[in-house]
Amino acid sequence: MRNVAIILSAGKGTRMGSSVSKQYIDVLGKPVIYYTLAAFENSIVDEIILVISEQDRNYVEEAIINKYAFHKIKHLVYGGKERYHSVYNALKQVEGADNVLIHDGARPLILPEQINMLLSQMKTFKACVAGMPVKDTIKIVDANHCVTDTPERSRLWQVQTPQVFSCSGIRDAYEKMMSDENPAVTDDAMVLEMYGHPHLRKEIRMVELSYENIKVTTKEDLVFMEGILLKRNC
C-alpha cells in the first residue's frame, strides 16, 4: 500500500495574536511545523505534500526542508481561500496512492506510531478519523445562547487529524463538493459523509488517539505543547 500525507500549513492563525504564523513559532528551538513533519518523516508514510502560503516558500525550503533534511516532502502546494480549497489543491498532486492522510500542520504532537496505527486500520476500513471521546457535557444553544438540547455524551467524540481515506474515495468526494458554491463542511470526513459514495459513508471509523494531539491555536496551547515535548525528552 502506498500512503501519501497532505499536511496543511498555509494558515495564519490569527487567534494566536502573533506576527508570525503559528506553525512557524519557535518551541524549544524548532518551529511548530518541524515536529509535525518529523512525525510523518519517521512514519511509514511514503510521501508528503506540504500546503503553504506562496510568500513562505523560500523560508520553508531553506529553514525547514533543507535544514532538517525532510526527504519525504515531494511537493509544495499553495493554499486556497478556505481549508477545503487547500486540500483540493493538494489532492490534485497525489499520484499512485492507495491511502491519503490529511493532517493539520498545527497538530505537532502526533507520533509516528500513531500515524502507523491509523494506516493499519485501513486494512479493514475505508476511512479512519483520529479523535477522542469528549470529557465534558456538551450543550446545544440557539442564537441567544439559550440551551436547546443536551446530547448524550457517550456518543460524542472530539475530532482530530490525521484523517485517512482511500485515495479514490476522498478525491471523488472532493470533486463533487467543489461543484457546490458554498459547501458547509468543517473537516474532511464531513466531505465524505456528504459527497462520498453511499457505501463509503457508512465506513468512517473513529479511532481513539490521544488527548495530547491538540491543535495549536492559542498561546496557552504553546505552553501545553512545550510541556509535552519536555515530558517526551524532545
Side-chain angles (χ1 to χ4, degrees):
M1 302 292 284
R2 188 166 186 274
N3 306 302
V4 174
I6 294 171
I7 299 179
L8 303 167
S9 187
K12 293 300 180 184
T14 53
R15 281 178 287 179
M16 183 65 70
S18 171
S19 59
V20 179
S21 297
K22 63 183 179 182
Q23 61 269 30
Y24 305 129
I25 293 175
D26 195 81
V27 177
L28 297 180
K30 298 182 178 71
V32 168
I33 190 65
Y34 160 83
Y35 299 98
T36 307
L37 292 170
F40 282 85
E41 183 80 16
N42 293 310
S43 75
I44 62 173
V45 162
D46 298 288
E47 179 182 317
I48 298 169
I49 297 173
L50 182 60
V51 183
I52 61 171
S53 296
E54 185 173 359
Q55 60 266 29
D56 294 331
R57 186 181 186 101
N58 289 340
Y59 169 78
V60 170
E61 287 180 334
E62 295 171 11
I64 296 176
I65 298 176
N66 294 338
K67 181 176 180 178
Y68 298 109
F70 288 126
H71 301 296
K72 290 185 179 180
I73 299 175
K74 303 301 182 182
H75 298 282
L76 292 178
V77 175
Y78 298 142
K81 181 180 178 182
E82 303 292 343
R83 182 187 185 278
Y84 61 83
H85 291 123
S86 297
V87 175
Y88 184 61
N89 290 346
L91 281 172
K92 289 187 287 186
Q93 299 298 319
V94 176
E95 296 180 359
D98 298 290
N99 300 314
V100 174
L101 305 88
I102 304 173
H103 186 67
D104 299 317
R107 287 188 188 272
L109 296 173
I110 187 73
L111 294 168
E113 53 265 35
Q114 293 169 338
I115 298 167
N116 296 345
M117 181 270 291
L118 280 165
L119 285 169
S120 73
Q121 295 285 314
M122 292 297 289
K123 297 175 183 177
T124 305
F125 301 96
K126 299 297 183 183
C128 291
V129 178
M132 292 298 291
V134 300
K135 297 179 181 180
D136 302 314
T137 297
I138 304 297
K139 298 290 186 183
I140 298 174
V141 301
D142 60 20
N144 296 316
H145 292 185
C146 292
V147 174
T148 61
D149 195 14
T150 304
E152 183 183 345
R153 186 172 63 183
S154 64
R155 294 174 59 106
L156 300 177
W157 279 60
Q158 166 190 326
V159 178
Q160 303 174 349
T161 65
Q163 299 186 4
V164 193
F165 309 93
S166 68
C167 182
S168 59
I170 194 62
R171 184 145 48 194
D172 288 347
Y174 259 90
E175 291 283 357
K176 291 177 182 177
M177 183 193 69
M178 295 306 291
S179 64
D180 280 359
E181 187 173 343
N182 291 300
V185 297
T186 54
D187 77 331
D188 305 294
M190 195 173 177
V191 177
L192 198 63
E193 292 166 38
M194 295 178 65
Y195 300 94
H197 294 298
H199 72 280
L200 292 177
R201 299 175 193 174
K202 297 180 180 179
E203 291 195 41
I204 302 174
R205 171 79 169 179
M206 290 299 303
V207 179
E208 189 168 317
L209 204 70
S210 171
Y211 289 113
E212 293 182 355
N213 185 33
I214 64 164
K215 186 175 183 180
V216 173
T217 304
T218 66
K219 292 179 180 178
E220 291 79 9
D221 296 329
L222 292 172
V223 176
F224 181 85
M225 176 186 170
E226 184 172 322
I228 295 300
L229 290 174
L230 289 171
K231 184 185 75 171
R232 294 176 181 175
N233 294 318
C234 292

